[in-house]
Protein backbone atom coordinates (compact mmCIF):
# COMPACT_ATOMS: atom_id res chain seq x y z
CA UNK A 1 0.00 0.00 0.00
CA UNK A 2 2.79 2.40 0.85
CA UNK A 3 4.51 1.81 -2.49
CA UNK A 4 1.29 2.58 -4.38
CA UNK A 5 0.88 5.90 -2.52
CA UNK A 6 4.48 6.95 -3.16
CA UNK A 7 4.27 6.22 -6.89
CA UNK A 8 1.04 8.14 -7.44
CA UNK A 9 2.44 11.70 -7.81
CA UNK A 10 4.48 10.63 -10.84
CA UNK A 11 1.30 9.60 -12.66
CA UNK A 12 -0.76 12.66 -11.74
CA UNK A 13 -0.65 16.15 -13.16
CA UNK A 14 -3.46 17.92 -11.32
CA UNK A 15 -1.67 21.01 -10.01
CA UNK A 16 -2.48 24.39 -11.55
CA UNK A 17 0.50 26.03 -9.84
CA UNK A 18 2.97 27.56 -12.27
CA UNK A 19 6.34 28.06 -10.60
CA UNK A 20 8.37 30.76 -12.36
CA UNK A 21 11.83 30.43 -10.78
CA UNK A 22 13.43 30.32 -7.37
CA UNK A 23 12.19 33.37 -5.45
CA UNK A 24 15.00 32.54 -3.04
CA UNK A 25 16.58 29.61 -1.32
CA UNK A 26 17.93 30.27 2.17
CA UNK A 27 20.81 28.77 4.10
CA UNK A 28 22.53 29.70 7.32
CA UNK A 29 25.82 31.59 7.23
CA UNK A 30 28.45 32.14 9.91
CA UNK A 31 28.97 35.85 9.20
CA UNK A 32 26.77 37.93 6.87
CA UNK A 33 29.45 40.47 5.93
CA UNK A 34 32.06 37.82 5.23
CA UNK A 35 29.50 35.96 3.10
CA UNK A 36 28.47 39.06 1.12
CA UNK A 37 32.11 39.94 0.44
CA UNK A 38 33.08 36.37 -0.50
CA UNK A 39 30.23 35.90 -3.01
CA UNK A 40 31.00 39.29 -4.60
CA UNK A 41 34.73 38.62 -4.81
CA UNK A 42 34.54 35.02 -6.03
CA UNK A 43 31.25 34.76 -7.95
CA UNK A 44 30.43 38.40 -8.74
CA UNK A 45 27.05 38.01 -7.03
CA UNK A 46 25.53 41.30 -5.85
CA UNK A 47 23.86 41.94 -2.52
CA UNK A 48 20.35 43.14 -3.40
CA UNK A 49 18.38 43.09 -0.11
CA UNK A 50 19.20 42.93 3.61
CA UNK A 51 16.44 42.29 6.16
CA UNK A 52 17.27 42.42 9.85
CA UNK A 53 15.44 42.47 13.18
CA UNK A 54 16.55 42.35 16.78
CA UNK A 55 13.67 40.26 18.07
CA UNK A 56 11.43 37.45 16.97
CA UNK A 57 8.28 39.09 15.52
CA UNK A 58 5.83 36.75 17.24
CA UNK A 59 7.36 36.41 20.73
CA UNK A 60 9.48 39.61 20.89
CA UNK A 61 12.29 37.44 22.26
CA UNK A 62 15.68 39.06 21.65
CA UNK A 63 17.22 37.08 18.80
CA UNK A 64 18.82 39.34 16.23
CA UNK A 65 19.15 38.10 12.69
CA UNK A 66 20.54 39.36 9.40
CA UNK A 67 18.92 37.96 6.26
CA UNK A 68 20.85 38.71 3.05
CA UNK A 69 19.77 38.19 -0.56
CA UNK A 70 22.29 37.70 -3.36
CA UNK A 71 21.56 37.93 -7.09
CA UNK A 72 22.13 34.51 -8.72
CA UNK A 73 21.05 35.69 -12.18
CA UNK A 74 17.77 35.63 -14.13
CA UNK A 75 15.71 36.48 -11.04
CA UNK A 76 17.08 33.64 -8.93
CA UNK A 77 18.15 34.63 -5.42
CA UNK A 78 20.48 32.93 -2.97
CA UNK A 79 19.80 34.02 0.60
CA UNK A 80 21.50 33.50 3.94
CA UNK A 81 20.68 34.07 7.61
CA UNK A 82 23.21 35.02 10.23
CA UNK A 83 21.78 34.16 13.66
CA UNK A 84 24.53 34.93 16.18
CA UNK A 85 22.60 33.85 19.30
CA UNK A 86 22.21 30.26 18.12
CA UNK A 87 24.78 27.51 18.67
CA UNK A 88 27.48 27.25 16.01
CA UNK A 89 26.53 25.86 12.62
CA UNK A 90 26.88 22.15 12.09
CA UNK A 91 25.99 19.92 9.20
CA UNK A 92 23.99 16.74 8.64
CA UNK A 93 26.68 14.29 9.68
CA UNK A 94 24.70 11.32 8.34
CA UNK A 95 24.81 12.72 4.80
CA UNK A 96 28.06 12.74 2.77
CA UNK A 97 29.49 16.22 2.08
CA UNK A 98 29.00 15.89 -1.69
CA UNK A 99 25.23 15.44 -1.47
CA UNK A 100 23.88 18.80 -0.32
CA UNK A 101 25.13 21.60 -2.56
CA UNK A 102 24.15 24.75 -4.39
CA UNK A 103 24.69 24.57 -8.17
CA UNK A 104 25.02 27.75 -10.21
CA UNK A 105 25.01 27.76 -14.02
CA UNK A 106 27.57 29.57 -16.17
CA UNK A 107 27.26 30.40 -19.86
CA UNK A 108 29.34 27.65 -21.45
CA UNK A 109 32.39 25.40 -21.13
CA UNK A 110 34.82 28.27 -21.79
CA UNK A 111 33.26 30.22 -18.93
CA UNK A 112 33.60 27.16 -16.71
CA UNK A 113 37.29 26.72 -17.52
CA UNK A 114 37.94 30.42 -16.97
CA UNK A 115 36.07 30.27 -13.66
CA UNK A 116 38.30 27.43 -12.47
CA UNK A 117 41.44 29.43 -13.21
CA UNK A 118 40.06 32.54 -11.55
CA UNK A 119 38.95 30.70 -8.42
CA UNK A 120 42.26 28.89 -8.13
CA UNK A 121 44.13 32.20 -8.50
CA UNK A 122 42.13 33.44 -5.50
CA UNK A 123 43.21 30.45 -3.44
CA UNK A 124 40.06 28.33 -3.76
CA UNK A 125 40.48 24.55 -3.85
CA UNK A 126 38.49 23.55 -6.97
CA UNK A 127 37.52 20.02 -8.04
CA UNK A 128 36.70 19.35 -11.71
CA UNK A 129 35.54 19.83 -14.35
CA UNK A 130 33.59 16.62 -13.76
CA UNK A 131 31.74 15.30 -16.82
CA UNK A 132 28.08 14.48 -16.13
CA UNK A 133 27.31 13.68 -19.78
CA UNK A 134 25.04 16.64 -20.43
CA UNK A 135 26.89 19.16 -18.27
CA UNK A 136 30.30 19.63 -16.70
CA UNK A 137 30.86 20.87 -13.17
CA UNK A 138 33.35 22.43 -10.79
CA UNK A 139 33.03 21.93 -7.05
CA UNK A 140 34.33 24.01 -4.15
CA UNK A 141 33.23 25.31 -0.74
CA UNK A 142 32.09 28.74 0.46
CA UNK A 143 33.36 30.14 3.80
CA UNK A 144 30.32 28.67 5.59
CA UNK A 145 31.10 25.10 4.52
CA UNK A 146 28.33 25.00 1.90
CA UNK A 147 29.40 23.04 -1.15
CA UNK A 148 29.06 25.02 -4.37
CA UNK A 149 28.93 23.75 -7.93
CA UNK A 150 29.45 25.73 -11.11
CA UNK A 151 27.93 23.95 -14.08
CA UNK A 152 28.01 24.44 -17.85
CA UNK A 153 25.47 22.60 -19.99
CA UNK A 154 26.92 20.53 -22.83
CA UNK A 155 23.96 18.30 -23.74
CA UNK A 156 21.99 18.44 -26.96
CA UNK A 157 18.27 19.05 -27.18
CA UNK A 158 17.78 15.41 -28.22
CA UNK A 159 19.71 14.22 -25.19
CA UNK A 160 17.59 16.33 -22.84
CA UNK A 161 14.37 15.09 -24.46
CA UNK A 162 15.55 11.51 -23.99
CA UNK A 163 16.50 12.14 -20.35
CA UNK A 164 13.06 13.58 -19.64
CA UNK A 165 11.43 10.58 -21.32
CA UNK A 166 13.24 8.03 -19.17
CA UNK A 167 13.27 10.00 -15.89
CA UNK A 168 9.89 8.78 -14.58
CA UNK A 169 10.72 5.22 -15.63
CA UNK A 170 14.01 5.43 -13.73
CA UNK A 171 12.35 6.77 -10.59
CA UNK A 172 9.73 4.00 -10.69
CA UNK A 173 12.41 1.33 -11.08
CA UNK A 174 14.53 2.87 -8.31
CA UNK A 175 11.50 2.94 -5.99
CA UNK A 176 11.13 -0.79 -6.45
CA UNK A 177 14.77 -1.94 -6.49
CA UNK A 178 17.05 0.75 -4.93
CA UNK A 179 19.52 -0.28 -7.64
CA UNK A 180 20.64 2.32 -10.19
CA UNK A 181 18.52 1.98 -13.37
CA UNK A 182 20.47 1.91 -16.66
CA UNK A 183 18.12 3.88 -18.96
CA UNK A 184 20.59 6.80 -19.07
CA UNK A 185 23.81 4.82 -18.72
CA UNK A 186 25.03 6.57 -21.90
CA UNK A 187 25.59 9.66 -19.72
CA UNK A 188 28.60 7.96 -18.16
CA UNK A 189 30.08 6.38 -21.28
CA UNK A 190 32.63 9.16 -21.80
CA UNK A 191 33.95 9.15 -18.21
FE1 LIG B 1 24.80 18.99 -8.60
Amino acid sequence: MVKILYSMPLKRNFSMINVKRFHHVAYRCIDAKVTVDWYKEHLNMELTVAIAENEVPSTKAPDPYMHIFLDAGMGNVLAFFEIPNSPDMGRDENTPKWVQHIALEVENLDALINAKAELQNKGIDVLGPINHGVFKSLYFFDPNGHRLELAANTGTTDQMVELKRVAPLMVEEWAQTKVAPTHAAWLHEKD
Side-chain angles (χ1 to χ4, degrees), residues 9 19 26-27 55 62 80 82 87 96 117 120 137 147 153 156 166 168 180 184 189:
V19 173
Y27 295 83
E55 51 192 33
F80 293 95
E82 181 185 341
Q120 286 182 319
S137 300
R147 196 184 203 215
N153 288 329
T156 65
V166 299
E189 284 169 1

Side-chain angles (χ1 to χ4, degrees), residues 41-42 114-124 126:
E41 179 185 352
H42 295 90
N114 291 339
K116 178 174 182 177
E118 184 178 331
L119 290 165
Q120 286 182 319
N121 285 339
K122 291 176 176 172
I124 304 295
V126 181

Side-chain angles (χ1 to χ4, degrees), residues 28-98:
R28 188 175 170 190
C29 68
I30 298 169
D31 183 295
K33 170 132 180 63
V34 168
T35 300
V36 167
D37 290 347
W38 190 91
Y39 275 83
K40 178 61 184 165
E41 179 185 352
H42 295 90
L43 292 169
N44 197 21
M45 290 171 63
E46 292 280 350
L47 173 68
T48 56
V49 176
I51 298 173
E53 288 185 280
N54 285 316
E55 51 192 33
V56 179
S58 55
T59 65
K60 304 301 181 192
D63 193 6
Y65 72 84
M66 171 57 75
H67 192 19
I68 53 173
F69 295 73
L70 307 179
D71 183 352
M74 298 186 72
N76 296 283
V77 174
L78 176 60
F80 293 95
F81 280 100
E82 181 185 341
I83 44 172
N85 286 359
S86 292
D88 288 348
M89 278 175 68
R91 56 174 301 278
D92 176 4
E93 295 295 339
N94 290 331
T95 302
K97 284 184 178 175
W98 53 267

Side-chain angles (χ1 to χ4, degrees), residues 131-184:
N131 187 4
H132 298 291
V134 289
F135 59 95
K136 293 186 178 182
S137 300
L138 306 177
Y139 298 95
F140 49 99
F141 288 89
D142 84 350
N144 307 297
H146 300 304
R147 196 184 203 215
L148 297 177
E149 173 179 356
L150 281 187
N153 288 329
T154 57
T156 65
T157 303
D158 286 349
Q159 286 175 322
M160 301 314 293
V161 168
E162 172 61 10
L163 285 175
K164 187 168 184 181
R165 184 186 73 80
V166 299
L169 305 174
M170 293 174 68
V171 172
E172 284 291 341
E173 183 175 317
W174 174 264
Q176 303 297 327
T177 67
K178 301 300 177 189
V179 174
T182 57
H183 305 64

